Amino acid sequence: MYSESDLLVAAWGEAADDLGIRVQAPFLAADPLGDPIRFDALVCDFGWPKGTLVTPLDESSRQRRAACDSGYSLCSLDIDRFGKYVRAEWIALLRDWIWVGDGAVPSWHRGRGWVTERATVEIVKAELARIFGRGIQLEGSIPH
């Protein structure tokens, strides 16, 4: 019998091979004290500059805190849907995450999106500050 983590690790391995993306599965990150925390995968080049860490839906608060404190995005996935690799499901998932890699955007992905265009981000931030009278953090925007 395979655990949920085993299923995610295997599925992300297949996704990496089929989609031509960089994935480290499993992946160890460190909590603020430097203690290792296991994640089922690190999906490089997507979501946040350091990548997106993956867990099953029942991730721990320690995992969530470590991911955020270390500069990663975190995605908790439903094992019933992502416990095995299905190309269309993975492409749909990854299209929801912006491409932040240095290389060419995969042909099946939509691309970087406006949140990675510094000039557009600055225009949106200025307009939101004008409307609300204070600076607003853009949801989903990556730090520049």
Side-chain angles (χ1 to χ4, degrees), residues 7-29:
L7 295 173
L8 277 177
V9 167
W12 278 105
E14 286 184 58
D17 291 342
D18 184 51
L19 298 174
I21 59 175
R22 296 184 311 133
V23 174
Q24 296 176 39
F27 180 77
L28 290 178

Side-chain angles (χ1 to χ4, degrees), residues 70-89:
S70 299
Y72 295 97
S73 177
L74 179 67
C75 182
S76 301
L77 296 176
D78 180 1
I79 293 298
D80 292 337
R81 186 168 177 191
F82 292 100
K84 66 178 182 171
Y85 177 67
V86 177
R87 182 181 173 88
E89 294 287 337

Side-chain angles (χ1 to χ4, degrees), residues 27-39 62-63 66:
F27 180 77
L28 290 178
D31 69 11
L33 299 175
D35 295 326
I37 299 178
R38 184 185 185 278
F39 293 88
R62 185 171 172 245
Q63 284 175 308

Side-chain angles (χ1 to χ4, degrees), residues 3-141:
S3 72
E4 289 182 348
S5 290
D6 293 336
L7 295 173
L8 277 177
V9 167
W12 278 105
E14 286 184 58
D17 291 342
D18 184 51
L19 298 174
I21 59 175
R22 296 184 311 133
V23 174
Q24 296 176 39
F27 180 77
L28 290 178
D31 69 11
L33 299 175
D35 295 326
I37 299 178
R38 184 185 185 278
F39 293 88
D40 296 316
L42 166 60
V43 184
C44 304
D45 305 318
F46 288 91
W48 210 246
K50 289 179 80 174
T52 298
L53 295 171
V54 176
T55 67
L57 283 177
D58 63 348
E59 90 278 350
S60 70
S61 60
R62 185 171 172 245
Q63 284 175 308
R64 181 163 295 284
R65 204 168 30 255
C68 294
D69 290 348
S70 299
Y72 295 97
S73 177
L74 179 67
C75 182
S76 301
L77 296 176
D78 180 1
I79 293 298
D80 292 337
R81 186 168 177 191
F82 292 100
K84 66 178 182 171
Y85 177 67
V86 177
R87 182 181 173 88
E89 294 287 337
W90 257 253
I91 288 175
L93 173 69
L94 292 169
R95 282 182 174 166
D96 284 342
W97 302 352
I98 60 171
W99 172 262
V100 295
D102 291 330
V105 177
S107 61
W108 47 263
H109 196 270
R110 286 193 287 243
R112 296 183 185 281
W114 70 270
V115 297
T116 61
E117 298 172 5
R118 185 181 303 261
T120 304
V121 169
E122 294 308 316
I123 291 167
V124 171
K125 283 182 178 180
E127 185 62 12
L128 288 172
R130 184 190 67 76
I131 292 168
F132 293 102
R134 63 181 171 79
I136 302 289
Q137 173 65 34
L138 300 179
E139 182 177 326
S141 66

